[in-house]
Amino acid sequence: MTPLSACSGTNCRHSAPVHSETDPGVGLNPKPNPWQETPDRPPSQREPLVPPPKGGPFSGGGTGPGRILADPARRLAVVLLLLFLAAPAGAQTLPETIRTLLGDGTPPRTLFVACQKIHADRDLIGFYAGRDYRPAWVTEDGSGPLVPALVQVLAHARDHGLNPEDYHWSCIRALLETVEDARNRGRALNPRLPASLDVVLTDAFMILCSHLATGRVDPEQLYPQWLSARHKADIVQGLNDLLVHGDVARTVRHFAPPHEDYWRLLAAVPSQRALVSRGGWPSVPPGPTLHPGDRDERVAALRRRLAASGDLPHPSSSDPAVFDGELEEAVRRFQGRHGLEVDGVVGPRTLEALNVSAEERLRQMLANLERWRWLPRRWGDRSILVNTADFSLTAYDQGRVVLSMRVIVGESATKTPVFSKEMRYLEINPYWNVPRSIAVKELLPKIRKDPGYLERNHYELVAGWSEDSPVLDPATIDWSRITPSAFPGRLRQKPGPWNALGRIKFMFPNRFNVYLHDTPHRHLFRKPHRALSHGCIRVEKPLDLALFVLQDDPSWTRERMEELIASGQRHVVPLPRPCRVHLVYFTAWVDEAGVLHFRKDIYNRDRVLERALGLEGASTGSYQ
């Protein structure tokens, strides 16, 4: 059977409206949720079909014992009750009714089941046909041991940044209320009710698992420079396995990203949501830079702000208007987890980060969960992860961090793209083949003013783009007559300490012509904000990175590498084993110590994704 793809259903990925791109602090202890595995809890100990008013995801005030619906859903339940209550004479069996609901079994078909539009695709129809249309979730009386667990998982979809209404939330609640009302009245059900409930639950399960497996929206529709991993998840097989072992939460978790980073960020969401529901944190009024030792009325607001986010865990009882040492440490802590210069001074950049609202930070967290769902499920045994929003590179060997460094990434006008590719070789003492756009926009004006610019900066003029193209004499060209559209040949910069690529270039061929490389401008790594390149990634420790990717060949030592660099000759070195490179973009994460980090959205990508996910103005809502 064909596995469920990323786009199989009216509520599947790619169906969200797309608009293209043109804090609590330290040591979170989140409340448990049904997404966590509970192997010691057999199906017989799960919640009843209708959870009690207190403690369950449906609990709410004013509904009475066992009542789980708000008024709009209750009105819908009354309509369903009138439609489904009586069982007509000669009624079909439940499998026969499911088969009738799904029609002739020819996918894809769009149909209405109960109160919901269902896209009966190959997977849904094939699933039921493969079990002779027997129900998966409920019996003739509309009950089933797995239903409460699935409903609870759907309720907590919002913590993943997903909307439960995409998974027939109101319809499922109304159907369950109708079943409960019929049971309370002691009346038999029309088989169309449990059949409809079963099909809607199956569709909800499949769509949710599809979204967790590959994402709610398609990043390539949002961002022109974002390539996502294309993989399929066998959701039908997962559902069949679920019906054997009976653990809904474990099954759904299986389809979500396996990376611990995803689950750490997910675990921080309930605490952040609770903080938002309490009103978030106060803002710090604008004004001049605040330094340690200052006395200012704004310092008291700064204390309240940092205490609310957990950066100032034990506010001092001293004068709240004085910027004391304890407050300085709290500022430094805040700066560190926001990617700011850690100086203990509240200047414009720190003030800007302090005044991002708690609700906006929550949306940022939820958007970053979606980004995880776009990524490959495995990094590779040996891999390199570059987070452009954090200006950082981390190298992993068998899942263990073995190397980290600062990087310089593309400016906002020349964004570093997002994709995954295999690094296959590196170059020692590389030439820099100047991209035509840089040659005509940046270098041609300099050459016109000073014909000696090329020789003085070690550039060569080459007739073409092939390896054997001859080198031309730039002195024979009247540069004053050269236009951008008629630029002669290409420019390349000779190897050496002056070369824009430095001494080493790391190649993982890709459609964007982006790579990692050294740089002669080492001082730029001291800047906290390092979006300074034309799109490629400049690395702080090129020699260490080269030894990391060549480690399977013991002949490559630091001394040998330094000798080759000193020779000034170009060398192409194939990697003994390809190394996977992942260029990613994360503006929120929780580290291994449980500290929640945020970064400035340097490419303005968060808001676009938040709109596509429907998070704007909806992040504080609850599904009860």
Side-chain angles (χ1 to χ4, degrees):
M1 182 172 295
T2 304
L4 187 68
S5 71
C7 191
S8 55
T10 53
N11 290 316
C12 70
R13 173 178 167 180
H14 310 302
S15 62
V18 171
H19 303 273
S20 178
E21 178 187 36
T22 37
D23 313 293
V26 181
L28 298 170
N29 293 305
K31 64 180 180 181
N33 68 55
W35 296 87
Q36 307 300 324
E37 295 187 43
T38 52
D40 58 340
R41 189 180 183 207
S44 61
Q45 297 178 11
R46 300 188 189 284
E47 295 85 356
L49 176 62
V50 180
K54 295 182 179 180
F58 300 110
S59 59
T63 57
R67 312 291 275 184
I68 59 174
L69 300 178
D71 288 344
R74 187 179 301 282
R75 289 195 294 270
L76 181 56
V78 171
V79 174
L80 292 173
L81 184 64
L82 296 175
L83 289 174
F84 292 135
L85 192 58
Q92 293 177 314
T93 64
L94 198 47
E96 290 172 338
T97 307
I98 291 175
R99 184 165 191 166
T100 299
L101 286 175
L102 296 180
D104 60 8
T106 304
R109 299 181 63 245
T110 299
L111 53 96
F112 283 88
V113 175
C115 50
Q116 199 70 48
K117 184 178 181 181
I118 300 291
H119 183 72
D121 69 348
R122 185 183 307 276
D123 294 289
L124 188 141
I125 292 177
F127 166 73
Y128 278 107
R131 53 189 290 111
D132 295 325
Y133 297 93
R134 289 179 291 111
W137 306 92
V138 301
T139 59
E140 287 78 1
D141 67 356
S143 64
L146 300 180
V147 174
L150 177 60
V151 167
Q152 191 177 28
V153 163
L154 295 176
H156 283 269
R158 70 191 184 108
D159 285 342
H160 291 252
L162 301 172
N163 184 357
E165 291 298 340
D166 286 340
Y167 318 113
H168 315 308
W169 175 255
S170 293
C171 180
I172 290 170
R173 293 194 306 166
L175 288 167
L176 290 175
E177 178 73 2
T178 307
V179 168
E180 185 183 5
D181 283 353
R183 183 184 298 122
N184 292 338
R185 294 166 184 258
R187 296 186 178 181
L189 292 176
N190 184 319
R192 287 183 64 88
L193 175 52
S196 298
L197 176 59
D198 202 85
V199 171
V200 171
L201 288 170
T202 298
D203 197 54
F205 173 88
M206 287 184 166
I207 296 172
L208 175 62
C209 291
S210 177
H211 288 174
L212 289 172
T214 56
R216 173 67 178 84
V217 298
D218 183 356
E220 295 178 23
Q221 291 187 32
L222 294 181
Y223 310 116
Q225 291 185 310
W226 197 302
L227 298 182
S228 64
R230 298 296 187 183
H231 62 274
K232 291 186 176 181
D234 195 342
I235 293 173
V236 172
Q237 185 59 52
L239 179 52
N240 283 321
D241 292 343
L242 165 62
L243 299 180
V244 174
H245 61 66
D247 193 328
V248 175
R250 188 182 86 186
T251 301
V252 175
R253 181 185 174 108
H254 166 76
F255 291 104
H259 309 289
E260 284 302 316
D261 304 77
Y262 180 87
W263 294 96
R264 287 198 298 265
L265 183 57
L266 176 71
V269 168
S271 296
Q272 183 72 15
R273 195 184 299 278
L275 177 60
V276 171
S277 68
R278 295 194 300 267
W281 46 61
S283 62
V284 180
T289 297
L290 294 172
H291 298 83
D294 285 352
R295 174 185 289 276
D296 192 299
E297 293 180 357
R298 297 162 58 230
V299 171
L302 176 62
R303 287 182 179 279
R304 292 191 296 271
R305 166 62 182 86
L306 294 174
S309 61
D311 295 287
L312 185 61
H314 305 294
S316 173
S317 58
S318 61
D319 188 343
V322 174
F323 196 147
D324 59 16
E326 182 184 49
L327 185 58
E328 179 185 355
E329 286 303 311
V331 170
R332 289 178 177 272
R333 187 179 298 114
F334 176 88
Q335 291 171 328
R337 65 186 192 87
H338 286 78
L340 302 165
E341 183 178 3
V342 181
D343 58 6
V345 174
V346 182
R349 288 183 182 268
T350 299
L351 183 64
E352 179 186 16
L354 284 165
N355 285 336
V356 174
S357 71
E359 185 170 4
E360 187 172 342
R361 291 303 189 193
L362 174 58
R363 289 195 297 267
Q364 196 173 1
M365 294 165 69
L366 299 176
N368 278 272
L369 288 171
E370 174 76 355
R371 290 188 178 121
W372 276 105
R373 296 190 283 266
W374 298 337
L375 293 175
R377 287 307 191 249
R378 290 179 54 83
W379 293 135
D381 293 338
R382 185 173 298 155
S383 60
I384 295 169
L385 189 74
V386 177
N387 183 1
T388 54
D390 186 40
F391 313 116
S392 67
L393 180 151
T394 307
Y396 296 87
D397 197 350
Q398 303 296 329
R400 183 172 58 91
V401 176
V402 295
L403 181 64
S404 60
M405 66 188 73
R406 298 176 180 183
V407 299
I408 295 168
V409 302
E411 299 174 317
S412 59
T414 53
K415 301 177 179 66
T416 297
V418 174
F419 62 90
S420 298
K421 283 289 184 179
E422 284 189 340
M423 183 186 296
R424 298 188 175 276
Y425 66 96
L426 58 83
E427 292 185 27
I428 299 173
N429 295 320
Y431 281 96
W432 178 40
N433 290 297
V434 182
R436 185 175 182 82
S437 60
I438 298 177
V440 300
K441 293 179 181 178
E442 299 182 23
L443 300 187
L444 181 56
K446 298 177 181 178
I447 300 170
R448 285 172 174 166
K449 291 181 179 179
D450 178 9
Y453 176 85
L454 291 177
E455 182 179 1
R456 192 167 56 255
N457 289 280
H458 310 280
Y459 287 101
E460 292 179 330
L461 181 64
V462 185
W465 288 88
S466 63
E467 285 288 334
D468 57 355
S469 296
V471 176
L472 306 176
D473 183 358
T476 63
I477 297 174
D478 183 358
W479 289 100
S480 66
R481 301 173 64 89
I482 298 299
T483 64
S485 61
F487 194 90
R490 64 181 164 100
L491 295 177
R492 71 179 182 187
Q493 195 174 35
K494 298 175 185 178
W498 50 76
N499 189 283
L501 306 184
R503 295 295 198 162
I504 308 177
K505 177 173 71 170
F506 303 85
M507 298 301 292
F508 41 103
N510 59 84
R511 60 184 269 190
F512 302 105
N513 197 27
V514 165
Y515 42 85
L516 309 178
H517 65 86
D518 184 16
T519 176
H521 306 295
R522 315 296 303 170
H523 65 284
L524 295 177
F525 290 110
R526 294 196 294 270
K527 291 179 172 289
H529 180 85
R530 296 187 294 277
L532 305 168
S533 81
H534 289 90
C536 288
I537 300 101
R538 308 174 197 172
V539 298
E540 181 185 23
K541 305 172 185 176
L543 193 56
D544 291 344
L545 186 61
L547 294 174
F548 168 74
V549 298
L550 294 172
Q551 63 182 282
D552 288 332
D553 185 347
S555 69
W556 284 105
T557 62
R558 184 176 294 271
E559 291 73 23
R560 181 186 178 189
M561 191 78 66
E562 290 173 343
E563 287 177 4
L564 287 176
I565 290 173
S567 74
Q569 299 299 308
R570 176 175 177 261
H571 294 270
V572 177
V573 183
L575 269 58
R577 180 170 54 148
C579 178
R580 198 75 175 168
V581 178
H582 306 278
L583 305 186
V584 300
Y585 188 84
F586 289 121
T587 59
W589 69 90
V590 176
D591 65 20
E592 293 181 355
V595 178
L596 180 59
H597 291 258
F598 294 103
R599 292 297 182 266
K600 185 178 178 63
D601 181 18
I602 58 173
Y603 295 157
N604 297 315
R605 287 171 169 166
D606 284 351
R607 189 61 58 86
V608 175
L609 179 54
E610 289 166 10
R611 281 201 303 265
L613 290 171
L615 297 176
E616 290 186 328
S619 60
T620 59
S622 68
Y623 286 83
Q624 295 183 339

